[in-house]
């Protein structure tokens, strides 16, 4: 993502992403708050406009980490590692947002903040994997070994995502859970709600792209300072 | 292929000759199972219900004690670089170490299953199915553990770091292994246990391939 070897300030594209993201954020918020209430859940459903983009970006960010970890292992270029770790960091923030909003949503709808439902469990595991990613980065002093080890976790950790989703299906076939499936609700959605959701997804993605580029730049500057 | 066996057999011989490591792991299993049985109380039904979870947590904890041993000797003796210098691909080192881990872990796992059976009133009628679950679960665990042990072999704080990293990654394996064991113990028909075996198998294959592919990339340089 960062092509310049010695960048000193964010490039134009980073500013475009961040600027557009923050500019459109209030509009997304307005759309979310003015969207029609849900038949069953009423105004409660508006948590979705924060919850779904958070989860989506968590997955996207971890995918980017996976991709750049692979690139790093094959090319051994520290720039790829910086993007991977920046993406993991931001992914962790978004994933945390999804978990927190999910819990706030679960309390009034399911009656509890947390239940060991497959999707919740797999998300929590995913969160723990990337917390481990940063624990590892913090624990290794040798920069090259740190990058390699982090890349390994970034790759192996991501493998968890698709498999965990298959486990959801297998679990379902065994045990019937009464909890609401958050993904199937999307299909029977009012067009106005869908529009608001898609718009918010778009805005959050812009912000993510801006954040990653910005964080990678910071990491590059840190690395240069460390060397100097 | 021959190298894989040679490496595993050499490590196994060293380990068995040493004995102290193996015995301490075995003692760890026994003490842990005993304490958990004490903590959970004398009620038979409750003990039986908790047994699969306790067994797998004990296995996971106990095998982290073993996983660092796969590469510990190589690092102590400075022979890891010699291994890496041998011509050809590096995957065989990973497979050799993995085989070594499995050869150690499988008997230990079987022993701890018997211990758990004694302490937790586990029925052992379906021993073969239980053993299959043990093998699949231990393989999933060992595949990642061996990989990380190799990666962190030269690191000082590896004894603490390894379990931290490992546990979050292998939670799915432990989870499905617990479910399969629970199903077997509760006497569910095999058809209902099979999906968990499938899941374990998928984990094993994916972790094994990914680790074997990543190992040379990570160990070189």
């Amino acid at each position: 993502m960062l092509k310049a070897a010695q960048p000193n300030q964010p490039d134009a594209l980073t500013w475009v992403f961040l600027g557009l993201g923050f500019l459109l954020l209030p509009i997304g918020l307005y759309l979310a708050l003015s969207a029609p209430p849900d038949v069953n859940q009423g105004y409660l459903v508006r948590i979705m406009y924060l919850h779904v983009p958070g989860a989506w970006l968590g997955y996207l960010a971890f995918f980017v980490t996976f991709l750049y970890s692979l690139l790093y292992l094959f090319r051994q270029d520290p720039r790829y590692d910086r993007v991977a770790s920046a993406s993991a960091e931001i992914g962790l923030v978004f994933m945390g947002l999804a978990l927190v909003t999910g819990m706030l949503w679960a309390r009034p709808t399911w009656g509890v903040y947390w239940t060991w439902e497959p999707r919740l469990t797999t998300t929590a595991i995913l969160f723990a994997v990337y917390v481990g990613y940063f624990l590892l980065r913090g624990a290794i002093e040798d920069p090259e070994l740190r990058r390699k080890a982090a890349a390994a976790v970034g790759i192996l950790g991501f493998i968890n995502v698709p498999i965990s989703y298959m486990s959801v299906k297998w679990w379902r076939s065994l045990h019937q859970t009464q909890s609401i499936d958050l993904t199937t609700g999307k299909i029977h959605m009012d067009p106005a709600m869908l529009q608001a959701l898609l718009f918010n997804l778009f805005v959050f993605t812009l912000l993510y792209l801006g954040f990653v580029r910005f964080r990678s730049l910071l990491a590059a500057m840190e690395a240069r300072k460390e060397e100097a | 292929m021959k190298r894989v066996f040679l490496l595993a057999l050499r490590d196994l011989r060293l380990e068995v000759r040493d004995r102290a490591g193996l015995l301490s792991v075995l003692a760890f299993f026994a003490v842990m199972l005993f304490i958990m049985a004490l903590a959970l109380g004398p009620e038979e039904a409750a003990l039986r219900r908790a047994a699969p979870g306790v067994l797998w947590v004990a296995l996971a904890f106990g095998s982290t004690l073993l996983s660092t041993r796969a590469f510990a000797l190589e690092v102590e003796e400075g022979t890891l670089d010699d291994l890496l210098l041998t011509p050809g691909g590096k995957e065989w080192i990973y497979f050799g170490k993995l085989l070594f881990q499995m050869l150690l872990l499988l008997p230990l796992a079987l022993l701890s299953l018997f211990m758990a059976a004694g302490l937790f009133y586990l029925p052992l009628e379906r021993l073969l199915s239980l053993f299959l679950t043990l093998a699949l679960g231990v393989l999933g665990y060992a595949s990642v553990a061996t990989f990380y042990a190799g990666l962190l072999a030269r690191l000082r704080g590896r004894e603490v770091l390894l379990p931290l990293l490992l546990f979050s990654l292998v939670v799915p394996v432990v989870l499905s292994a617990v479910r399969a064991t629970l199903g077997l113990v509760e006497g569910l028909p095999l058809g209902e246990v099979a999906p968990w075996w499938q899941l374990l198998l998928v984990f094993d294959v994916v972790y094994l391939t990914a680790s074997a592919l990543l190992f040379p990339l990570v160990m070189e340089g």
Side-chain angles (χ1 to χ4, degrees):
Chain A
M1 280 191 184
L2 283 172
K3 287 285 174 281
Q6 296 264 307
N8 277 316
Q9 52 186 21
D11 56 352
L13 205 52
T14 309
W15 287 123
V16 168
F17 283 140
L18 281 178
L20 259 181
F22 279 115
L23 217 72
L24 294 178
L25 198 61
I27 305 177
L29 196 67
Y30 170 77
L31 280 177
L33 289 178
S34 64
D38 187 71
V39 193
N40 300 317
Q41 299 188 31
Y43 294 110
L44 207 56
V45 80
R46 285 182 181 154
I47 297 180
M48 177 185 70
Y49 301 112
L50 202 56
H51 180 70
V52 175
W56 146 248
L57 278 179
Y59 294 136
L60 178 73
F62 294 150
F63 178 66
V64 170
T65 301
F66 167 72
L67 224 58
Y68 275 83
S69 297
L70 266 182
L71 271 176
Y72 174 74
L73 280 187
F74 281 107
R75 300 268 168 79
Q76 306 279 339
D77 187 337
R79 273 184 314 194
Y80 294 125
D81 173 67
R82 288 200 286 269
V83 178
S85 92
S87 186
E89 200 170 299
I90 294 155
L92 206 54
V93 172
F94 278 116
M95 215 52 172
L97 187 74
L99 281 173
V100 170
T101 51
M103 279 161 80
L104 290 178
W105 198 357
R107 174 70 186 159
T109 45
W110 300 340
V112 284
Y113 283 111
W114 189 263
T115 160
W116 292 104
E117 195 257 350
R119 179 147 300 131
L120 301 188
T121 313
T122 51
T123 314
I125 293 169
L126 207 59
F127 193 78
V129 168
Y130 287 90
V131 170
Y133 180 88
F134 285 104
L135 279 177
L136 181 73
R137 291 192 82 97
I140 305 179
E141 276 168 34
D142 173 27
E144 206 189 323
L145 182 62
R146 184 201 305 148
R147 293 194 288 259
K148 274 183 185 167
V153 180
I155 293 166
L156 281 177
F158 182 74
I159 291 170
N160 253 341
V161 184
I163 303 178
S164 299
Y165 275 93
M166 271 149 81
S167 84
V168 177
K169 278 180 195 156
W170 278 326
W171 192 315
R172 286 268 150 93
S173 69
L174 270 178
H175 299 263
Q176 283 181 327
T177 48
Q178 296 147 315
S179 42
I180 303 155
D181 190 351
L182 297 174
T183 47
T184 48
K186 225 158 118 188
I187 303 161
H188 340 274
M189 195 184 270
D190 191 83
M193 287 164 78
L194 190 64
Q195 270 172 19
L197 181 62
L198 287 178
F199 188 81
N200 272 299
L201 278 175
F202 175 67
V203 173
F204 271 65
T205 311
L206 281 180
L207 279 176
Y208 163 74
L209 290 172
F211 285 154
V212 168
R213 295 177 71 91
F214 202 84
R215 183 68 187 87
S216 310
L217 173 79
L218 284 181
M221 289 161 87
E222 274 167 17
R224 225 181 312 146
K225 206 176 155 197
E226 218 171 275
E227 276 167 29
Chain B
M1 206 57 210
K2 206 178 140 209
R3 287 199 278 194
V4 173
F5 286 116
L6 279 179
L7 184 63
L9 285 180
R10 185 206 64 173
D11 281 348
L12 197 64
R13 197 180 303 145
L14 288 174
E15 193 64 52
V16 172
R17 208 180 280 164
D18 186 21
R19 268 197 298 272
L22 272 177
L23 284 178
S24 60
V25 174
L26 201 61
F28 176 84
F29 278 134
V31 170
M32 179 154 177
L33 288 174
F34 193 71
I35 290 178
M36 291 302 277
L38 265 179
L40 288 165
E43 214 177 309
E44 191 179 326
L47 277 178
R48 192 177 294 151
R49 171 101 192 128
V54 171
L55 175 68
W56 278 100
V57 169
L59 274 177
F61 281 174
S63 34
T64 33
L65 293 177
L66 277 177
S67 56
T68 42
R69 301 188 70 85
F71 286 91
L73 265 181
E74 308 284 358
V75 174
E76 271 169 37
E77 310 283 330
T79 45
L80 187 56
D81 292 320
D82 302 341
L83 273 185
L84 289 171
L85 277 175
T86 48
K90 308 280 178 285
E91 294 88 352
W92 69 275
I93 303 176
Y94 171 74
F95 284 118
K97 294 295 183 187
L98 179 63
L99 187 62
F100 159 68
Q101 290 263 304
M102 289 299 288
L103 288 177
L104 276 185
L105 273 175
L106 275 181
L108 281 176
L110 200 59
L111 268 177
S112 53
L113 176 69
F114 289 138
M115 281 194 252
L119 288 169
F120 290 82
Y121 307 99
L122 271 188
L124 285 179
E125 288 107 57
R126 303 157 95 178
L127 195 58
L128 211 63
S129 309
L130 279 173
F131 190 69
L132 178 67
T133 315
L134 274 186
L136 284 175
V138 167
L139 178 63
Y141 187 89
S143 59
V144 187
T146 310
F147 175 72
Y148 273 142
L151 178 64
L152 303 177
R154 285 166 242 187
L155 206 66
R156 237 177 301 123
R158 60 177 178 272
E159 285 85 4
V160 186
L161 204 56
L162 195 66
L164 265 178
L165 279 174
L166 215 50
F167 284 145
S168 51
L169 261 186
V170 294
V171 162
V173 173
V174 174
L175 205 73
S176 30
V178 168
R179 289 277 153 181
T181 317
L182 195 64
L184 287 173
V185 171
E186 283 181 344
L188 289 182
L190 280 187
E192 284 188 38
V193 181
W196 293 110
W197 284 339
Q198 259 177 359
L199 190 59
L200 274 174
L201 199 66
V202 173
F203 277 122
D204 288 356
V205 169
V206 170
Y207 278 149
L208 210 62
T209 357
S211 305
L213 287 176
L214 284 175
F215 188 79
L217 286 172
V218 164
M219 293 306 282
E220 266 168 75

